[in-house]
Amino acid sequence: MPQKNRLYENSGSALILAVLLVSVILIFGASVLGLAEMASRSASSQVNSEQAYFTAKSGADAIVAYLKNPATTNDDIVSLLGRTSTSVDMPPGMGLCTVSLSSVQTAPVYDAYGNYTYSETITVSSLGVFGGAEKTYTAVLTRDVSVSVAASYVNIPVALAVLSQDLSLSTNTVSGNIFCGRNLSLTGCQISGDIYVKGNVSISGGSLTGNIYADGSVTLSGSGTQVSGDIHSGGTVTLSGTGTLNGNIYSTGGVSVGGAYSGIRNINTGGNFTATSTFGAQTIRAGGYVSIPSGSGSSVSGSASSNGYFQVGGGVTFGGSLYSGSYVSITSASSPVSGDVYASGNVLTNSRVYGLVHTTGTVSGSGPVGGIVSESYTASYVYQDPSYNYDAAVNGAPEWALGAIPPNSVTLLNNRTVTNTDTRLYAGNASVNMLTLRSTQSSPMTVYLDKTSQTISNLVVSNSGPIYFFLRSAASVTISSVQKSGGGALFIIGQNGANLSMGNWGSPADVYLYTPSGRVTSTSNTSSFTGRVVAGTQTNLYRLRSVALGTSPSLAGTPFENIVRKGSAGGASSTTYTWTGNVVYSGS
């Protein structure tokens, strides 16, 4: 019996051991499964991370390949840099990729013509996403950029006169008067002097510090046009766009204000005055009618008179009296008159007249008036421009027979000798057989040749000061012979694309030719002038002796320094670039 109990007890111990053994096996198995799952997840995460890395690298490589493709233009690169981010299309199963670009540029370095170079470092940052994993990859590239601007001059150092031809200037600066025998067009110019024109004047943008004298019409247009002086016109005066006119208007044909202009002093015209936009003036005197159908915010601080009728809409304030050789009609309640109203005919006013109404006609309208006086009124305004006649300005002045133009001014001449005291000039459109420039002063003289094709058989120069000989854009000019004496330098300056052909120039000293976007050609092997040639294309200049050739000389300290534009010029610019060094990659 006791033996049986011991067996029974041993049997229970074995069961416990079996249970424990099974538990250990289960726990171990669970641990093995957990470790296997962890290992599986770790392996999957590693795969995702690696794929995200390769996705990011592929996106960066694609952008670098695009940037360095010879077919990619600078505009393409600038456009890509301007984006916040760029999505790169990936093949199926590679995840998503987003690339952003940033740029750092060095300060530009300019040459003598306004062309400039700079270095640019471009950083390509690529983000790859796959299976929840994110990786970045970076590529850094460097390029040298060269920007070539169209050659242009902008500063004309003294006055400008062109006789018997139209003259058109754009973004030029003229430090002096302008004389033009036909029509004048200025766009974005800065003029410090008066304008004398036989024909019409058109000014768009820019500024003029001086008076306008024109036998024809005058038109101001564009945005921000500024004129600080009087307008004298033998035709009509038209103001459109926006601007400021700090001066008086004298117009034989009439005045039309179709843009917002302020600062006008006295308007005087032998014709009609019309305004369809906001303006400000001190007085109006019209030999015809006055019509202001709508002028919200407009004002006439003094009196306004017309020999014809007087029609006003709304939004005009009159600080003085109104005078009409016919009827007066003020149809709006928002155009008050602070003074009296004088009319030869009837008066209709829906605005208040603070003074008296003088007329033998009827007075009607809803606007109150200060009183009515039954008396007749006869208009008596006679227009007269007090101070201008072009022919008198050209032929009657003691200096160069060109009004107030100084003897160091600009002119286009034909077969004439120009001196400091010349009293008569002759200009024409034919070729110039001989042009003599004689200056006894040290101040500069300037010639502006405003023809696309011109031959000067013999250019004779006798000068103490510098002479600037400007050639217009795209001109083809031949100067067969040059005879030079005196200590002053001769500068021949070609604007955009101007070409100069040289004959036998002998051996003059201090001659400088500048046409960096044009061509200079020598047809003689005996010329040996001393100076410098700057040209986009040079033909046969090896024949010249003792001449310094160059495409980018220093202009510091020379008159070119203030004439040649720095930066963007009067034509389209072009940009080229070269990738330098190796691409630097990094990723994590």
Side-chain angles (χ1 to χ4, degrees):
M1 187 69 182
Q3 180 66 30
K4 184 177 181 179
N5 289 338
R6 284 197 297 270
L7 290 173
Y8 178 81
E9 292 174 357
N10 290 337
S11 162
S13 298
L15 180 60
I16 293 172
L17 289 173
V19 171
L20 290 175
L21 180 59
V22 171
S23 298
V24 170
I25 292 172
L26 291 173
I27 292 172
F28 178 76
S31 298
V32 170
L33 291 173
L35 290 173
E37 184 179 357
M38 289 177 61
S40 176
R41 287 200 300 266
S42 176
S44 177
S45 177
Q46 179 67 23
V47 170
N48 292 343
S49 180
E50 290 179 354
Q51 183 58 61
Y53 172 83
F54 288 116
T55 298
K57 183 178 185 302
S58 297
D61 289 341
I63 295 299
V64 170
Y66 174 77
L67 292 175
K68 301 194 74 172
N69 189 327
T72 301
T73 66
N74 183 71
D75 290 340
D76 295 332
I77 296 176
V78 172
S79 175
L80 194 60
L81 286 169
R83 300 180 186 179
T84 303
S85 61
T86 301
S87 296
V88 180
D89 292 334
M90 288 292 170
M94 285 194 66
L96 303 175
C97 182
T98 304
V99 177
S100 60
L101 282 76
S102 60
S103 166
V104 177
Q105 298 178 357
T106 62
V109 177
Y110 289 90
D111 67 9
Y113 316 117
N115 307 319
Y116 58 96
T117 60
Y118 62 89
S119 295
E120 182 177 38
T121 300
I122 298 176
T123 301
V124 180
S125 299
S126 177
L127 174 64
V129 180
F130 185 87
E134 295 184 354
K135 286 294 182 178
T136 59
Y137 195 85
T138 301
V140 179
L141 307 83
T142 303
R143 65 174 185 157
D144 290 337
V145 183
S146 299
V147 180
S148 299
V149 298
S152 177
Y153 64 83
V154 292
N155 297 314
I156 297 176
V158 290
L160 175 66
V162 178
L163 304 184
S164 300
Q165 293 198 60
D166 294 341
L167 174 62
S168 178
L169 298 177
S170 178
T171 66
N172 289 92
T173 298
V174 179
S175 301
N177 302 326
I178 295 179
F179 287 78
C180 179
R182 293 184 63 183
N183 302 313
L184 172 67
S185 175
L186 304 175
T187 302
C189 294
Q190 311 298 317
I191 312 299
S192 299
D194 296 332
I195 292 175
Y196 298 84
V197 178
K198 184 69 173 176
N200 302 322
V201 175
S202 174
I203 301 177
S204 177
S207 66
L208 166 67
T209 304
N211 302 315
I212 300 173
Y213 301 94
D215 275 3
S217 298
V218 175
T219 300
L220 305 185
S221 61
S223 176
T225 303
Q226 299 181 20
V227 175
S228 298
D230 297 340
I231 296 178
H232 301 261
S233 170
T236 60
V237 173
T238 302
L239 309 182
S240 63
T242 61
T244 303
L245 171 59
N246 293 317
N248 303 305
I249 296 177
Y250 300 91
S251 169
T252 301
V255 177
S256 174
V257 180
Y261 272 79
S262 61
I264 305 173
R265 295 174 185 170
N266 303 301
I267 299 173
N268 307 274
T269 177
N272 305 319
F273 174 81
T274 61
T276 57
S277 186
T278 303
F279 72 96
Q282 294 180 4
T283 64
I284 298 174
R285 299 285 185 271
Y289 62 75
V290 171
S291 175
I292 312 174
S294 177
S296 178
S298 297
S299 65
V300 180
S301 60
S303 61
S305 69
S306 66
N307 289 348
Y309 62 78
F310 210 112
Q311 290 183 341
V312 180
V316 186
T317 301
F318 295 95
S321 298
L322 303 186
Y323 300 84
S324 171
S326 181
Y327 65 86
V328 173
S329 174
I330 305 175
T331 58
S332 171
S334 60
S335 296
V337 179
S338 296
D340 293 351
V341 173
Y342 296 83
S344 297
N346 300 327
V347 175
L348 181 151
T349 176
N350 290 326
S351 291
R352 181 168 185 173
V353 176
Y354 287 87
L356 303 175
V357 175
H358 304 258
T359 181
T360 55
T362 61
V363 179
S364 61
S366 59
V369 300
I372 300 174
V373 178
S374 179
E375 63 179 5
S376 62
Y377 168 75
T378 301
S380 59
Y381 173 69
V382 177
Y383 170 77
Q384 183 177 4
D385 187 331
S387 60
Y388 177 61
N389 179 278
Y390 182 86
D391 291 329
V394 171
N395 297 317
E399 295 179 341
W400 270 43
L402 289 175
I405 194 168
N408 60 351
S409 302
V410 185
T411 186
L412 169 65
L413 303 175
N414 185 7
N415 304 332
R416 288 296 301 170
T417 297
V418 182
T419 67
N420 304 105
T421 57
D422 200 352
T423 58
R424 184 169 177 81
L425 300 178
Y426 174 79
N429 294 322
S431 296
V432 177
N433 295 324
M434 176 178 290
L435 176 61
T436 301
L437 306 175
R438 182 172 295 116
S439 174
T440 59
Q441 298 183 356
S442 60
S443 54
M445 174 188 291
T446 307
V447 175
Y448 183 86
L449 195 61
D450 192 25
K451 290 194 68 177
T452 56
S453 180
Q454 180 73 67
T455 297
I456 300 175
S457 299
N458 190 15
L459 177 63
V460 180
V461 178
S462 175
N463 59 313
S464 298
I467 292 181
Y468 306 112
F469 202 101
F470 284 100
L471 311 180
R472 64 165 292 170
S473 296
S476 293
V477 177
T478 298
I479 302 179
S480 302
S481 173
V482 172
Q483 301 177 38
K484 183 178 179 297
S485 61
L490 172 63
F491 297 91
I492 300 180
I493 305 168
Q495 203 170 358
N496 299 336
N499 300 320
L500 174 66
S501 178
M502 305 159 46
N504 181 10
W505 284 20
S507 305
D510 294 329
V511 177
Y512 300 89
L513 311 182
Y514 182 87
T515 177
S517 64
R519 181 181 68 252
V520 174
T521 302
S522 175
T523 61
S524 171
N525 59 2
T526 59
S527 294
S528 59
F529 66 84
T530 302
R532 186 183 296 275
V533 176
V534 179
T537 303
Q538 303 169 355
T539 305
N540 294 335
L541 295 191
Y542 62 86
R543 296 176 176 177
L544 301 179
R545 298 190 297 270
S546 303
V547 60
L549 303 178
T551 57
S552 58
S554 173
L555 303 183
T558 73
F560 286 136
E561 184 177 21
N562 296 320
I563 294 173
V564 179
R565 179 191 289 274
K566 298 293 190 294
S568 179
S573 62
S574 61
T575 301
T576 58
Y577 61 89
T578 303
W579 296 106
T580 60
N582 298 319
V583 182
V584 179
Y585 295 98
S586 61
S588 60

